[in-house]
C-alpha cells in the first residue's frame, strides 16, 4: 500500500514537472505577432539611409541574403549545416514575401532576439546572437537602408532540416543558452572599443572563426580560436603572430580592405565577399577591426615548425607533386614568375593556406580556384583545377608545397580530404 | 614515352610528365589550332576537350590525360568540309584576328554536345572563361546560337559511371 502511494506520488510529481516544464517552455517560445505597418515607420532620409548602407556592409547582409543568380537581398541562398539545409529569406521591402510590412520594432526584435514579425522563431544561422549587440541607432539606419531597396517578390524556399528541428519552438532552449541580449557601446574612446563592437556585433566574425559544439553553439572557451565553414578552415584570429611572418596591423588592414596581404595571401572562399564588403566601408572601421584583433592576440603562440618525417611514401608524394607543380602552377607561382612579382604577392612558402593546421583551404583553392571578383580593380584570380587534376595529383602538389615550400610536416590523409571536398563542393 | 590519343588517333610522345598538354600538341604533334595566349588559364585560347571536360591545355599536365581522348578543333572538320560550329563561325564572320577562335569553338562544342538547345544565359555562362580581345563576342554568340539551331551537333554519349 505504502509503495503504491509513493508510486502515485512520484507519478504525480513527474506530471507536475512536465506541466511546469511545458508552461515554462511555451513562455520562452511564444512571442506575439507584431502588427503589420503600411509603410516604414522611420523617416527615410538620405543621411540615415547612407549610414544604413555602411551598417549593411559591415554586417555582410547581402552575402547570405542573395541567392545564386538572384536579386540582391531577395534571399534564397542555401546554407548547408550539419542539421540540414536552410534557405535564406527575402529582406527586400516586398510586402508579401519580404519585410515590407515590418515596423522598426519588429525589425529590432528580429535582430535582437531572433523572432520574426509574426512571432515565429528564426533559425540561428541568422546571427542574431551577434546582431543583438548592435545599437538602436545602427539598427534604425539599417532598417531605413533595407526599406529603400527595390521590393522583390521572392517567397522563401522550404528548409530541408532534420525532422525534430523543423519544430521551431525548440529553438527557445538554444536561445536561452546563447542569446545574451542587448546593445554594446558602438563608439568607445579608442579604436579598439569600436573594433570590438564591429567584431562581436555587426561583423559576427566568430560565427565562422569560433569552433561550434554539437548543437551548433559557439564554444565560449575558444572564442575566435578558428572554425570551419563550407569545408573551408576559418583560421584562428587570436594567433596572428604565429604565422611564419607574424601579421602586422597594416597587413591586416590591407587584407580586410583589399583581399590581399603581403606575406600571407589572398582572401578566398567565404572570406572573399566579406572583404568585398569591407572594401566599401570607411577605412577607420577596418582599422578599428584590426586594432581590436591585435588587442586579443594570444601571446603563447604555438609555432609547430617541426621537421617533416622522412619516408619513402612521402618522398614519392613530394616528387609527384613537384611534377604537377611544374606543369600546372609554376607559370604563376614559380619563383621569378611575373605573376608572383606583381602587387607584392607572397610566395606559397608564406601562404596561410600552406602554413595552417588544416589542408582544407589549400585543397579547396586548387579545386575551385579564385573566380574573377565582382569588383573591378581587384585582380586576384586563379583558374579552377577540379577538371584538370586528379585527387591524387592535388594531394601530391599540396603535400609538395606543404613540405618543400612551407617546410612543415605533411598533413595526414590529404588524398581522402581531396575526395571528400571534391564531392561536397561539386554542384 | 607517353601514350596520347588525340582526335581518336593514338600517338607516342617523348616528353617529361610535367609538360603541359598544349606544348605537346603544338611542338610534338604539330597540331597548331590550340594557341598559347596567357599561359595562366585566364584567356582560353588554349581550350581543348579532354574526356568530357573543357580544359586550359596550357596548365594541363600531360600526365593528367591518361587514356582519355583529347579533342581539338582539327577533329571537328576540314577547310573543305567544316563541322557545324566551324561553318556557323564562317557564316557569321565571327573571326577578327582569329587567335581565340579555336578555343571558342572547342568550348562551344562541349556545351552543345551536353545541352543541344541551350538558353542565352547558359551560352553566356558557359563561354565566360574565354576572352576575345578583338571584341567579336556578339558574332561568336550568334554563331553558337545558329549552330545549336542547326541541330547538327551529335550529343555526347553518356558514359556509364562517368
Amino acid at each position: 500500500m505504502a509503495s503504491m502511494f509513493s508510486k502515485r506520488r512520484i507519478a504525480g510529481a513527474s506530471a507536475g514537472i512536465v506541466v511546469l516544464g511545458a508552461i515554462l517552455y511555451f513562455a520562452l517560445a511564444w512571442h506575439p505577432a507584431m502588427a503589420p505597418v503600411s509603410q516604414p515607420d522611420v523617416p527615410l532620409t538620405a543621411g540615415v539611409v547612407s549610414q544604413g548602407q555602411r551598417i549593411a556592409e559591415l554586417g555582410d547582409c547581402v552575402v547570405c541574403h542573395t541567392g545564386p543568380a538572384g536579386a540582391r537581398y531577395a534571399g534564397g541562398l542555401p546554407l548547408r549545416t550539419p542539421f540540414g539545409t536552410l534557405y535564406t529569406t527575402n529582406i527586400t521591402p516586398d510586402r508579401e514575401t519580404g519585410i515590407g510590412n515590418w515596423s522598426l520594432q519588429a525589425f529590432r526584435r528580429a535582430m535582437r532576439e531572433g523572432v520574426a514579425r509574426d512571432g515565429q522563431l528564426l533559425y540561428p544561422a541568422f546571427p542574431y546572437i551577434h546582431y543583438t549587440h548592435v545599437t538602436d541607432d545602427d539598427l534604425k539606419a539599417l532598417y531605413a537602408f533595407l526599406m529603400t531597396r527595390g521590393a522583390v517578390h521572392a517567397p522563401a524556399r522550404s528548409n530541408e532540416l532534420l525532422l525534430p528541428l523543423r519544430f521551431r519552438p525548440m529553438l527557445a532552449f538554444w536561445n536561452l543558452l546563447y542569446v545574451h541580449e542587448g546593445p554594446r557601446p558602438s563608439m568607445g574612446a579608442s579604436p579598439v572599443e569600436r573594433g570590438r563592437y564591429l567584431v562581436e556585433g555587426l561583423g559576427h566574425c566568430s560565427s565562422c572563426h569560433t569552433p561550434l559544439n554539437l548543437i551548433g553553439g559557439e564554444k565560449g572557451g575558444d572564442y575566435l580560436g578558428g572554425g570551419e565553414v563550407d569545408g573551408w578552415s576559418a583560421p584562428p584570429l587570436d594567433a596572428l603572430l604565429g604565422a611564419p611572418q607574424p601579421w602586422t596591423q597594416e597587413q591586416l588592414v590591407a587584407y580586410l580592405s583589399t583581399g590581399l596581404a603581403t606575406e600571407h595571401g589572398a582572401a578566398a572562399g567565404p572570406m572573399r565577399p566579406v572583404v568585398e564588403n569591407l572594401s566599401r566601408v570607411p577605412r577607420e572601421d577596418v582599422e578599428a577591426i584590426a586594432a581590436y584583433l591585435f588587442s586579443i592576440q594570444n601571446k603563447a603562440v604555438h609555432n609547430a615548425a617541426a621537421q617533416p618525417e622522412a619516408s619513402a611514401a612521402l618522398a614519392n608524394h613530394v616528387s609527384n607533386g613537384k611534377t604537377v607543380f611544374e606543369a600546372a602552377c609554376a607559370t604563376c607561382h614559380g619563383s621569378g614568375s611575373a605573376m608572383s612579382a606583381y602587387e607584392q604577392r607572397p610566395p606559397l612558402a608564406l601562404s596561410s593556406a600552406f602554413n595552417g593546421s588544416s589542408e582544407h583551404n589549400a585543397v579547396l583553392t586548387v579545386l575551385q580556384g579564385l573566380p574573377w571578383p565582382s569588383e573591378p580593380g581587384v585582380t586576384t584570380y586563379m583558374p579552377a583545377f577540379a577538371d584538370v587534376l586528379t585527387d591524387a595529383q592535388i594531394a601530391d602538389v599540396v603535400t609538395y608545397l606543404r613540405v618543400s615550400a612551407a617546410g612543415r610536416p605533411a598533413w595526414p590523409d590529404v588524398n581522402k580530404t581531396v575526395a571528400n571536398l571534391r564531392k561536397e563542393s561539386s554542384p | 614515352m607517353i601514350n596520347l590519343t588525340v582526335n581518336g588517333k593514338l600517338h607516342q610522345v617523348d616528353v617529361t610528365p610535367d609538360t603541359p598538354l598544349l606544348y605537346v600538341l603544338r611542338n610534338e604533334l604539330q597540331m597548331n589550332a590550340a594557341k598559347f595566349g596567357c599561359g595562366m588559364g585566364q584567356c582560353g585560347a588554349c581550350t581543348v576537350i579532354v574526356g568530357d571536360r573543357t580544359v586550359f591545355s596550357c596548365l594541363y599536365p600531360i600526365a593528367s590525360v591518361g587514356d582519355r581522348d583529347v579533342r581539338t578543333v582539327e577533329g571537328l572538320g576540314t577547310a573543305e568540309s567544316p563541322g557545324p560550329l566551324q561553318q556557323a563561325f564562317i557564316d557569321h564572320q565571327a573571326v577578327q584576328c582569329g587567335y581565340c577562335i579555336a578555343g571558342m569553338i572547342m568550348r562551344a562544342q562541349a556545351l552543345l554536345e551536353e545541352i543541344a538547345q541551350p538558353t542565352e544565359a547558359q551560352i553566356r555562362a558557359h563561354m565566360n572563361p574565354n576572352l576575345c580581345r578583338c571584341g567579336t563576342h556578339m558574332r561568336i554568340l550568334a554563331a553558337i546560337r545558329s549552330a545549336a539551331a542547326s541541330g547538327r551537333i551529335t550529343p555526347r554519349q553518356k558514359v556509364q559511371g562517368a
Side-chain angles (χ1 to χ4, degrees), chain A residues 323 327-328 331-332 381 388 393, chain B residues 18 39-42 53 59-60 64:
Chain A
T323 301
T331 330
C332 293
Y381 160 82
V388 174
Q393 285 174 319
Chain B
D18 61 4
M40 300 174 186
Q42 293 191 1
R53 302 284 180 173
L59 297 176
Y60 198 99
S64 279

Side-chain angles (χ1 to χ4, degrees), chain A residues 86-170:
Chain A
L86 287 156
Y87 293 90
T88 60
T89 52
N90 182 352
I91 54 168
T92 72
D94 183 57
R95 295 186 57 80
E96 203 183 317
T97 63
I99 61 169
N101 59 7
W102 289 36
S103 60
L104 172 62
Q105 201 192 348
F107 179 73
R108 189 162 49 213
R109 182 176 70 172
M111 294 287 281
R112 289 260 166 80
E113 301 172 47
V115 181
R117 187 196 64 78
D118 62 5
Q120 179 168 248
L121 296 186
L122 298 167
Y123 287 104
F126 169 55
Y128 54 87
I129 67 164
H130 301 290
Y131 290 160
T132 194
H133 303 320
V134 179
T135 61
D136 280 351
D137 271 357
D138 283 351
L139 287 180
K140 190 168 139 189
L142 179 57
Y143 174 79
F145 173 74
L146 290 174
M147 288 304 182
T148 47
R149 300 308 90 201
V152 178
H153 183 89
R157 281 185 64 173
S158 304
N159 298 320
E160 294 141 20
L161 287 172
L162 299 175
L163 197 56
L165 301 173
R166 294 183 200 169
F167 184 61
R168 290 181 186 244
M170 301 260 291

Side-chain angles (χ1 to χ4, degrees), chain A residues 375-399:
Chain A
E375 291 289 302
V378 181
T379 56
T380 45
Y381 160 82
M382 175 173 146
F385 285 87
D387 289 344
V388 174
L389 301 174
T390 63
D391 290 355
Q393 285 174 319
I394 293 176
D396 286 343
V397 75
V398 162
T399 301

Side-chain angles (χ1 to χ4, degrees), chain A residues 133-217:
Chain A
H133 303 320
V134 179
T135 61
D136 280 351
D137 271 357
D138 283 351
L139 287 180
K140 190 168 139 189
L142 179 57
Y143 174 79
F145 173 74
L146 290 174
M147 288 304 182
T148 47
R149 300 308 90 201
V152 178
H153 183 89
R157 281 185 64 173
S158 304
N159 298 320
E160 294 141 20
L161 287 172
L162 299 175
L163 197 56
L165 301 173
R166 294 183 200 169
F167 184 61
R168 290 181 186 244
M170 301 260 291
L171 293 165
F173 287 120
W174 196 93
N175 289 344
L176 204 56
L177 291 173
Y178 295 106
V179 182
H180 307 293
E181 205 187 319
R184 300 255 176 91
S186 80
M187 287 292 182
S190 68
V192 171
E193 285 169 61
R194 167 76 178 160
R196 179 175 180 180
Y197 170 73
L198 295 176
V199 166
E200 294 185 350
L202 283 167
H204 62 286
C205 308
S206 67
S207 291
C208 296
H209 288 277
T210 297
L212 301 183
N213 60 24
L214 280 177
I215 58 167

Side-chain angles (χ1 to χ4, degrees), chain A residues 28-383:
Chain A
L28 286 171
W30 186 81
H31 296 269
M34 286 189 176
V37 291
S38 56
Q39 56 184 31
D41 53 354
V42 159
L44 305 174
T45 61
V48 174
V49 170
S50 130
Q51 167 65 3
Q53 177 170 5
R54 173 176 173 181
I55 304 304
E57 278 158 356
L58 287 164
D60 291 315
C61 314
V62 76
V63 177
C64 288
H65 284 284
T66 304
R72 284 167 73 79
Y73 296 106
L77 183 77
L79 301 177
R80 293 190 183 86
T81 75
F83 315 104
T85 300
L86 287 156
Y87 293 90
T88 60
T89 52
N90 182 352
I91 54 168
T92 72
D94 183 57
R95 295 186 57 80
E96 203 183 317
T97 63
I99 61 169
N101 59 7
W102 289 36
S103 60
L104 172 62
Q105 201 192 348
F107 179 73
R108 189 162 49 213
R109 182 176 70 172
M111 294 287 281
R112 289 260 166 80
E113 301 172 47
V115 181
R117 187 196 64 78
D118 62 5
Q120 179 168 248
L121 296 186
L122 298 167
Y123 287 104
F126 169 55
Y128 54 87
I129 67 164
H130 301 290
Y131 290 160
T132 194
H133 303 320
V134 179
T135 61
D136 280 351
D137 271 357
D138 283 351
L139 287 180
K140 190 168 139 189
L142 179 57
Y143 174 79
F145 173 74
L146 290 174
M147 288 304 182
T148 47
R149 300 308 90 201
V152 178
H153 183 89
R157 281 185 64 173
S158 304
N159 298 320
E160 294 141 20
L161 287 172
L162 299 175
L163 197 56
L165 301 173
R166 294 183 200 169
F167 184 61
R168 290 181 186 244
M170 301 260 291
L171 293 165
F173 287 120
W174 196 93
N175 289 344
L176 204 56
L177 291 173
Y178 295 106
V179 182
H180 307 293
E181 205 187 319
R184 300 255 176 91
S186 80
M187 287 292 182
S190 68
V192 171
E193 285 169 61
R194 167 76 178 160
R196 179 175 180 180
Y197 170 73
L198 295 176
V199 166
E200 294 185 350
L202 283 167
H204 62 286
C205 308
S206 67
S207 291
C208 296
H209 288 277
T210 297
L212 301 183
N213 60 24
L214 280 177
I215 58 167
E218 292 173 21
K219 288 184 183 165
D222 204 2
Y223 181 66
L224 297 181
E228 200 182 294
V229 55
D230 294 343
W232 293 81
S233 146
L237 299 184
D238 61 355
L240 298 174
L241 306 175
Q245 298 291 322
W247 281 79
T248 67
Q249 211 163 311
E250 293 70 32
Q251 284 173 336
L252 188 55
V253 170
Y255 175 77
L256 293 173
S257 51
T258 69
L260 186 66
T262 59
E263 301 184 317
H264 305 284
M271 193 60 195
R272 203 117 187 265
V274 174
V275 300
E276 284 181 6
N277 273 317
L278 289 179
S279 73
R280 291 186 285 263
V281 305
R283 193 172 174 87
E284 71 215 44
D285 283 346
V286 179
E287 283 169 351
I289 292 171
Y292 171 64
L293 290 177
F294 264 81
S295 77
I296 58 160
Q297 289 312 301
N298 188 348
K299 294 293 178 282
V301 163
H302 40 87
N303 196 345
Q307 279 306 302
E309 52 176 294
S311 77
L314 181 60
N316 198 30
H317 276 305
V318 168
S319 134
N320 291 343
K322 187 171 190 300
T323 301
V324 175
F325 180 84
E326 294 300 337
C329 321
T331 330
C332 293
H333 291 290
S335 60
S337 66
M339 275 295 141
S340 67
Y342 184 59
E343 286 181 337
Q344 289 185 282
R345 290 171 184 185
L348 292 177
L350 295 180
S351 159
S352 310
F354 290 103
N355 285 285
S357 56
S358 146
E359 72 274 39
H360 283 215
N361 293 359
V363 170
L364 281 169
T365 305
V366 175
L367 280 171
Q368 303 176 0
L370 298 182
W372 288 110
S374 55
E375 291 289 302
V378 181
T379 56
T380 45
Y381 160 82
M382 175 173 146

Side-chain angles (χ1 to χ4, degrees), chain B:
Chain B
M1 293 296 249
I2 291 176
N3 287 337
L4 182 69
T5 312
V6 184
N7 299 324
K9 191 175 163 207
L10 183 66
H11 301 269
Q12 284 204 320
V13 288
D14 185 13
V15 294
T16 55
D18 61 4
T19 312
L21 172 60
L22 177 67
Y23 297 37
V24 177
L25 291 173
R26 294 181 61 87
N27 300 347
E28 306 297 319
L29 305 178
Q30 281 73 50
M31 301 180 78
N32 294 323
K35 299 290 188 285
F36 182 94
C38 65
M40 300 174 186
Q42 293 191 1
C43 74
C46 65
T47 302
V48 302
I49 300 177
V50 178
D52 60 357
R53 302 284 180 173
T54 44
V55 302
F56 300 127
S57 62
C58 71
L59 297 176
Y60 198 99
I62 192 74
S64 279
V65 181
D67 55 8
R68 284 174 291 185
D69 191 14
V70 176
R71 294 164 63 205
T72 70
V73 81
E74 285 99 336
L76 297 186
T78 60
E80 296 71 37
S81 171
L85 261 168
Q86 291 167 313
Q87 188 61 56
F89 272 64
I90 296 167
D91 294 345
H92 286 270
Q93 287 295 292
V95 178
Q96 174 71 15
C97 84
Y99 203 78
C100 70
I101 293 298
M104 289 282 182
I105 290 181
M106 291 319 286
R107 190 168 295 276
Q109 178 76 16
L111 172 68
L112 299 185
E113 287 180 3
E114 191 175 345
I115 306 172
Q117 302 296 328
T119 62
E120 183 66 18
Q122 283 172 323
I123 297 176
R124 285 173 181 244
H126 181 87
M127 296 305 292
N128 187 44
N130 287 42
L131 304 181
C132 162
R133 294 296 183 195
C134 304
T136 64
H137 297 93
M138 300 316 285
R139 293 181 181 214
I140 290 171
L141 292 172
I144 296 169
R145 284 193 292 266
S146 79
S150 78
R152 288 176 56 214
I153 291 180
T154 321
R156 185 171 58 238
Q157 311 254 304
K158 289 267 182 282
V159 183
Q160 206 69 35

